[in-house]
Amino acid sequence: MPPVPRPPSAPPALWRDADFRRLWFGQTLSQLGAHASQVTLPLVAVVALAADAGQLGALRAVEQAPILLFSLFAGAWVDRRRTRDVMVWADFGRALALAAIPVAYVLGGLGLPLLLVVAFLVGVLSVFFDVACQASLVRLVERGELVRCNSALEGSRSAAQTGGPALGGALVSLLSAPVANAAGALFFAVSFLSIRRIRRREETGGAEERAAEERTAEERTTEERTSEGQTAEGQTVARTERPAPRLWPRVREGLQLVCTDALLRSVGLASALYQFSFAALMTVLLLFLPRELHLSGTAVGLVLAAVGPGAVIGSLLAAKLPGRWGYGRVLVGAAVLGDGALLCVPALHGSAGPAASTAYASSAASAWATVLALMAVNFLFGMGSQTVNVTLMAVRQARTPVRLQGRVVATINVVGMGLTPLGSLLGGRLAEWWGLHTGLLVTAAALTLSPLFMTLSPLRRLGRSLPAARR
């Protein structure tokens, strides 16, 4: 029997979806604007306003505080609304906020209070945008496309993490620091126009939640009628209409789902272990590179930027590997590769001072060998950690009901990011108590607690298909 000819391969359905292309393009520009502003906003304070270290620290804290203050509320709020509208208005608000800086500079009204207000507004709106963006995929694409869609979005986000700060620094050099923020406003404005063109109707959590509330109210009324019976006149006792749930009960519902579901709880705990350890490690690493290895600012930038290309590769791998080897194996294997690679960094030794002649600082060749070794380590780390990130995101999205997507995203974000300040403080203390080499080794070892936990958790037992949604 002659072989049946195969039909010509069609272009991937993912990129033939116009709405997804609009979401991807808008999210990419939004991420570029967000990461560029993380450089341009502090430089306005330092260059244009001559802020001291305390004022600069306050500015960064104000920009980061909304993650802890508003993530849970954003999740509950997003679940009852169309995610496209939330992202559109978040982009619009951030564009206006950043545009206020160059306008105030031209008019002579730029000051630190305005900068603090802008930083806080950008931080709040970024929380709402990020929660809505992650919750939107389940409403916009088919279940089987979740991993590929996450891979595409996370790949562009990784590229923005590398290119955004570099672009922000270049704009500050070419223009003045205040005027450079106009570029961030432009990115948000174009993202606003792209995402606004999404046409697909979403199945919002609000409709599903209201239907569930109505069914619950009907069942409760039936039970009460059965237990209490009727009055002597044969009339059924009147019942008042059940009010819509308030914000805190809806927030609590998201918290309860993450706490009671074994898979979601494992995702949250693995993220918390990773974020806490990584914050501690980065604190020590940023001291280790210039002080122990005597790397220049340019070399440090190259080392840290190597995470970006690795993350792009990791996003592509996350779209292919789980279907072949299984989600559990990919999660553990990628985490061991990425986190374990950082254990090599403490083995590097720099000079004891500028005039020393050790193996890594006696010549330009040995110095660049150190830089290349560090770039290779960071490349592997970026590839492994991004593979884990995309895969975990797909597991979380598949396991979470549509009506709870935003609240689960927000809960896991708070659990993970909420520990980063403590991790940073611990990393600094370890460097003071035990020295940079030992502190870096301890924090790198602590980072491997996340893959160890995943090995012992239900995540390890995941097969080649995504878990079913929780009922």
Side-chain angles (χ1 to χ4, degrees):
M1 182 177 178
V4 179
R6 295 182 178 180
S9 58
L14 175 66
W15 297 109
R16 287 190 283 113
D17 188 333
D19 282 337
F20 175 76
R21 291 200 308 269
R22 292 162 185 155
L23 174 65
W24 173 83
F25 183 70
Q27 185 257 8
T28 301
L29 291 179
S30 181
Q31 290 292 333
L32 274 174
H35 288 289
S37 67
Q38 289 178 1
V39 173
T40 57
L41 274 175
L43 287 180
V44 171
V46 173
V47 176
L49 302 178
D52 58 29
Q55 291 171 328
L56 183 60
L59 177 66
R60 290 181 55 81
V62 164
E63 189 175 11
Q64 296 169 349
I67 297 176
L68 294 177
L69 295 177
F70 296 103
S71 289
L72 292 176
F73 298 100
W77 195 77
V78 165
D79 274 337
R80 297 178 69 88
R81 285 158 181 83
R82 188 179 181 187
T83 56
R84 188 208 74 164
D85 295 340
V86 176
M87 290 185 285
V88 162
W89 287 110
D91 276 334
F92 183 74
R94 289 185 292 183
L96 287 182
L98 287 181
I101 294 177
V103 172
Y105 176 70
V106 171
L107 297 178
L110 182 60
L112 188 61
L114 174 63
L115 207 59
L116 291 171
V117 171
V118 170
F120 185 76
L121 288 176
V122 170
V124 171
L125 294 172
S126 294
V127 167
F128 278 86
F129 182 94
D130 292 341
V131 170
C133 185
Q134 292 191 44
S136 66
L137 279 185
V138 180
R139 305 181 189 180
L140 290 178
V141 303
E142 298 295 331
R143 179 185 178 86
E145 296 288 340
L146 280 178
V147 174
R148 296 177 64 210
C149 290
N150 280 316
S151 175
L153 292 177
E154 288 298 305
S156 63
R157 186 177 69 86
S158 300
Q161 283 180 325
T162 302
L167 177 62
L171 289 173
V172 170
S173 300
L174 294 174
L175 310 170
S176 65
V179 177
N181 283 276
L186 180 62
F187 283 128
F188 290 131
V190 178
S191 175
F192 162 83
L193 294 175
S194 177
I195 296 176
R196 188 171 179 267
R197 296 179 60 222
I198 294 176
R199 294 290 178 262
R200 188 170 304 165
R201 294 183 61 86
E202 299 179 23
E203 181 187 354
T204 63
E208 185 179 343
E209 198 170 66
R210 285 191 294 271
E213 291 164 9
E214 291 174 359
R215 288 194 299 270
T216 302
E218 290 176 0
E219 293 171 358
R220 181 174 298 179
T221 300
T222 302
E223 292 175 359
E224 290 175 349
R225 285 174 175 173
T226 303
S227 60
E228 295 183 9
Q230 295 182 335
T231 62
E233 292 80 6
Q235 301 294 327
T236 302
V237 178
R239 302 294 171 197
T240 58
E241 183 179 354
R242 187 186 181 194
R246 296 179 179 177
L247 183 62
W248 270 115
R250 288 190 283 122
V251 170
R252 187 168 57 249
E253 189 176 5
L255 288 168
Q256 288 175 342
L257 179 62
V258 173
C259 291
T260 58
D261 186 84
L263 279 177
L264 294 177
R265 184 172 64 249
S266 298
V267 171
L269 291 175
S271 300
L273 287 171
Y274 171 83
Q275 294 292 351
F276 177 81
S277 303
F278 184 67
L281 182 140
M282 281 302 298
T283 301
V284 184
L285 184 64
L286 291 174
L287 296 170
F288 181 83
L289 295 180
R291 294 184 181 179
E292 286 289 318
L293 301 185
H294 299 284
L295 298 186
S296 65
T298 301
V300 172
L302 288 174
V303 168
L304 298 180
V307 175
V312 173
I313 300 299
S315 298
L316 299 176
L317 293 176
K320 300 291 185 181
L321 297 183
R324 179 178 300 179
W325 292 342
Y327 285 86
R329 290 181 179 178
V330 169
L331 281 172
V332 174
V336 169
L337 173 66
D339 298 344
L342 292 177
L343 287 170
C344 300
V345 178
L348 300 175
H349 294 274
S351 63
S357 56
T358 62
Y360 285 101
S362 60
S363 66
S366 61
W368 278 107
T370 302
V371 172
L372 291 176
L374 288 167
M375 291 178 66
V377 167
N378 267 0
F379 178 87
L380 290 176
F381 169 72
M383 182 173 65
S385 61
Q386 187 70 345
T387 302
V388 173
N389 186 37
V390 174
T391 308
L392 275 181
M393 192 178 300
V395 171
R396 185 220 355 116
Q397 290 171 336
R399 185 60 173 168
T400 306
V402 172
R403 69 185 184 90
L404 290 170
Q405 286 287 333
R407 279 168 281 182
V408 170
V409 170
T411 300
I412 293 178
N413 283 349
V414 168
V415 170
M417 299 302 294
L419 294 176
T420 53
L422 296 178
S424 297
L425 291 174
L426 177 61
R429 289 296 185 183
L430 290 177
E432 291 179 356
W433 295 337
W434 297 341
L436 294 177
H437 271 286
T438 304
L440 190 60
L441 179 61
V442 170
T443 54
L447 200 62
T448 63
L449 292 176
S450 182
L452 176 62
F453 171 79
M454 286 192 287
T455 303
L456 302 175
S457 76
L459 294 171
R460 174 64 180 86
R461 297 191 291 272
L462 290 174
R464 298 180 182 178
S465 58
L466 288 168
R470 175 75 177 264
R471 297 295 180 183

